[in-house]
Amino acid sequence: MSDIAHGRIAQYTIDKTDIDATIAASGGNGASQPKPMTMSTGEIKGQDVDVAYAARLYTETAGPDDKEAKQVYGPLSVRKLSMSDQSGGFSYEELRSDGFSAKMPAQPLVETLAAITAVQNIDDLTSEQRQAYFGKVLSIFGMIGKSNIQLIGLKIDAPEKVSGTQDKRSIATIDRIEMQIEGYKTDFGLHGLSIANGEDKVLMEEASIKAFDWTLPAEGLSKAAALEPDELATFPYRQFLPSFERFRISGLDFDTSAPEKTDEPATGKPERIKFALKNFETVLKNPVNGIPTDFENKMEDLVIPVPEGSSEFAEARALGLKELTLSYALSSAWDEKNSSLAIRQISVSGKDFGRIELSGLLSGITKEFFSFDVANAYAALFSVMGREIKFTWKDEGGVALLTKLYALQNNISEAQARTTLTLGASFLMQQLAAERPQLRGATDALAAFVLKPGTLTVTVKAKNPNGLGIFDLAAASQDPLILLDKVDIQAAAE
């Protein structure tokens, strides 16, 4: 240690540590048995430890000058930590942290902890006592200022018992785990995961969550704790929903043996579960009363091999498909100023199939739509109006595959199937256009698309600038075609 003054340690270093211990572990008959364990670390280095402030956190209350979080310790590094027993263990190359800060509490932390641990059964508390209890629990999290930690080069080696033996081992490695906390917000990321067990493997490039915020759930918990059981029936439980900006899983490669079916005879080689995923992502931003008003959810390139002996994939094999590659996307955003909701994208797509996409615009979406009051939220639904919807179908082989499937199902050639489908679609479009002239443009575009697949686009706009409401849709429930007089339709095939 060096430069120690006024309860502060400027720097400290520990060359290495080696610890041999014996812990109690359960034996095969349930009895406790001693088990040796070894732990060691390489060099430990730290800076700017404020021992005096740490002691104040436990024993004092916040004063007039204690409005902001202050540093408890600064940069920290622990290298080459490992822990092992007779059967396995774990290790990592380095633990890093930029430091930790905290706010002075309204009540000494030692008293808060004593009050929390004194409660044996929460159900025995009155509503006031229960609210005070959760208030003390949440106050501990409220003390947290900023903190982060990184684990570099994590490795876990564990045995797996198979039929009473230990002939298989699971080896897991993680390149990096990182977490950052600031108040009620947390960022977390896991990068470079690899799990191997014999022929089984799981690989993942990233799993992360950004700006996970449980401020609203903390407030909801405080409110709910003060309510009696009969009052909880009407409590808006979506206050317990946390928000986050982004959740992501990417670079997933899964290849493992399927669980054995005990009710079926063994067939020799076990079935395998195999798939790969390029990216899965969810974005929830700008929550209003627990409901995100900027939403995005997408999955990119889920690759599923077509199994050879599966009856569920018989048609896919007949079409010559070796694997299925699927994607989807959902996206919307609320415009508070204009009381509108833009449906930016609802789409599904597949390799060698193409993409089908919807987008649109709803008006009359006021803030009451997100109200905690259920009656107000339902009432707000009656003001929602549909102004525009756009449909796009981009063919990249899907029509040809559907034609081939039709030919296989009806035992005819693909040329015959194509002629049958084209003539049938043309006849139906002409008949529909004759009965409903408003659909002439749409039917011509659809007929052209069937004849020569490319990109079909259909846009429907309400003639009323405010859009079509719930009563318009209710009136059209028996005959949807009566809406044709209330909309303009534009269609094109390219």
Side-chain angles (χ1 to χ4, degrees):
M1 296 184 186
S2 62
D3 299 330
I4 302 175
H6 308 293
R8 296 172 180 265
I9 302 172
Q11 294 182 353
Y12 66 91
T13 302
I14 301 173
D15 290 337
K16 64 178 182 177
T17 62
D18 292 290
I19 301 173
D20 293 322
T22 300
I23 63 173
S26 60
N29 57 2
S32 178
Q33 296 181 356
K35 186 177 184 181
M37 177 168 287
T38 300
M39 186 179 77
S40 65
T41 70
E43 184 182 54
I44 301 174
K45 296 178 66 175
Q47 300 178 31
D48 304 326
V49 181
D50 194 334
V51 180
Y53 186 62
R56 286 190 62 208
L57 290 173
Y58 274 87
T59 60
E60 298 181 17
T61 59
D65 298 329
D66 295 317
K67 296 180 180 180
E68 303 295 331
K70 297 179 181 179
Q71 182 174 277
V72 180
Y73 62 83
L76 170 68
S77 170
V78 181
R79 297 185 59 82
K80 296 188 179 300
L81 184 146
S82 65
M83 183 178 295
S84 61
D85 57 23
Q86 295 172 329
S87 58
F90 78 90
S91 63
Y92 59 78
E93 289 297 312
E94 184 178 8
L95 178 152
R96 301 175 188 167
S97 174
D98 293 329
F100 172 74
S101 65
K103 300 176 183 178
M104 284 295 295
Q107 181 183 31
L109 183 57
V110 65
E111 296 180 11
T112 300
L113 294 174
I116 292 173
T117 56
V119 176
Q120 300 297 319
N121 190 344
I122 298 175
D123 294 335
D124 294 336
L125 302 179
T126 65
S127 58
E128 292 81 5
Q129 292 172 333
R130 191 164 54 245
Q131 185 177 35
Y133 172 83
F134 284 110
K136 292 182 184 297
V137 173
L138 293 173
S139 71
I140 296 176
F141 293 97
M143 291 173 58
I144 299 174
K146 289 185 178 181
S147 176
N148 65 27
I149 189 171
Q150 285 189 348
L151 294 175
I152 311 297
L154 180 67
K155 181 178 180 180
I156 301 173
D157 181 357
E160 179 184 354
K161 293 185 178 181
V162 180
S163 301
T165 68
Q166 292 189 357
D167 56 347
K168 294 184 69 177
R169 302 191 70 82
S170 294
I171 307 295
T173 61
I174 301 173
D175 292 342
R176 185 175 81 257
I177 297 176
E178 55 191 11
M179 182 169 65
Q180 179 172 318
I181 300 175
E182 183 172 357
Y184 289 109
K185 291 186 177 181
T186 302
D187 293 345
F188 176 83
L190 182 152
H191 305 270
L193 169 69
S194 172
I195 302 175
N197 186 336
E199 296 181 354
D200 298 344
K201 69 170 185 177
V202 177
L203 304 175
M204 184 168 59
E205 292 179 4
E206 177 185 350
S208 62
I209 187 166
K210 180 176 176 58
F212 181 86
D213 188 349
W214 56 291
T215 302
L216 187 64
E219 295 173 355
L221 182 61
S222 296
K223 294 176 183 177
L227 300 178
E228 299 297 338
D230 57 332
E231 296 175 308
L232 288 172
T234 58
F235 184 79
Y237 282 97
R238 74 165 182 262
Q239 288 194 45
F240 292 146
L241 294 176
S243 65
F244 56 88
E245 288 189 7
R246 188 182 304 274
F247 171 75
R248 173 184 290 154
I249 294 176
S250 64
L252 181 62
D253 187 354
F254 195 95
D255 183 359
T256 70
S257 303
E260 294 184 3
K261 299 179 180 179
T262 57
D263 57 342
E264 296 181 7
T267 57
K269 189 175 181 180
E271 295 182 2
R272 300 198 65 79
I273 300 174
K274 298 179 65 175
F275 66 88
L277 175 65
K278 179 180 179 181
N279 188 50
F280 175 85
E281 193 169 296
T282 298
V283 176
L284 303 176
K285 292 183 178 179
N286 307 324
V288 174
N289 293 333
I291 299 178
T293 59
D294 192 332
F295 169 79
E296 182 178 352
N297 176 242
K298 63 182 180 180
M299 179 185 73
E300 299 177 77
D301 293 349
L302 173 65
V303 182
I304 305 174
V306 175
E308 295 181 0
S310 173
S311 59
E312 290 86 351
F313 290 86
E315 291 181 342
R317 290 196 303 273
L319 293 174
L321 297 175
K322 302 296 184 182
E323 61 184 24
L324 301 176
T325 302
L326 308 173
S327 302
Y328 75 83
L330 308 171
S331 178
S332 66
W334 178 53
D335 183 346
E336 182 177 8
K337 181 179 179 181
N338 295 305
S339 298
S340 63
L341 179 71
I343 302 173
R344 294 180 293 210
Q345 185 180 19
I346 301 175
S347 69
V348 292
S349 61
K351 182 181 178 182
D352 300 325
F353 285 85
R355 185 180 78 253
I356 295 176
E357 180 176 328
L358 282 172
S359 61
L361 182 65
L362 301 176
S363 62
I365 308 291
T366 64
K367 197 170 184 177
E368 291 299 317
F369 186 83
F370 307 98
S371 173
F372 281 135
D373 189 309
V374 177
N376 287 343
Y378 277 132
L381 283 173
F382 289 93
S383 65
V384 176
M385 309 285 280
R387 291 170 55 182
E388 179 180 342
I389 187 169
K390 182 179 180 181
F391 170 84
T392 303
W393 182 356
K394 184 178 181 180
D395 179 67
E396 295 176 350
V399 173
L401 287 172
L402 291 174
T403 302
K404 184 176 181 179
L405 179 61
Y406 181 82
L408 291 171
Q409 291 175 339
N410 292 275
N411 198 26
I412 58 177
S413 69
E414 289 185 46
Q416 291 174 314
R418 190 177 301 109
T419 300
T420 301
L421 293 174
T422 302
L423 292 176
S426 178
F427 174 77
L428 289 175
M429 293 302 102
Q430 291 178 10
Q431 185 178 28
L432 186 58
E435 296 176 357
R436 300 286 181 173
Q438 305 99 315
L439 294 175
R440 170 62 66 181
T443 55
D444 288 347
L446 182 57
F449 176 80
V450 172
L451 183 64
K452 188 177 181 180
T455 300
L456 174 67
T457 304
V458 180
T459 303
V460 180
K461 292 184 178 180
K463 294 180 178 179
N464 185 335
N466 294 324
L468 299 176
I470 191 170
F471 295 109
D472 295 304
L473 298 178
S477 60
Q478 300 299 320
D479 182 10
L481 294 179
I482 66 173
L483 292 176
L484 292 176
D485 294 330
K486 300 181 180 182
V487 299
D488 290 321
I489 301 175
Q490 294 181 345
E494 300 176 359

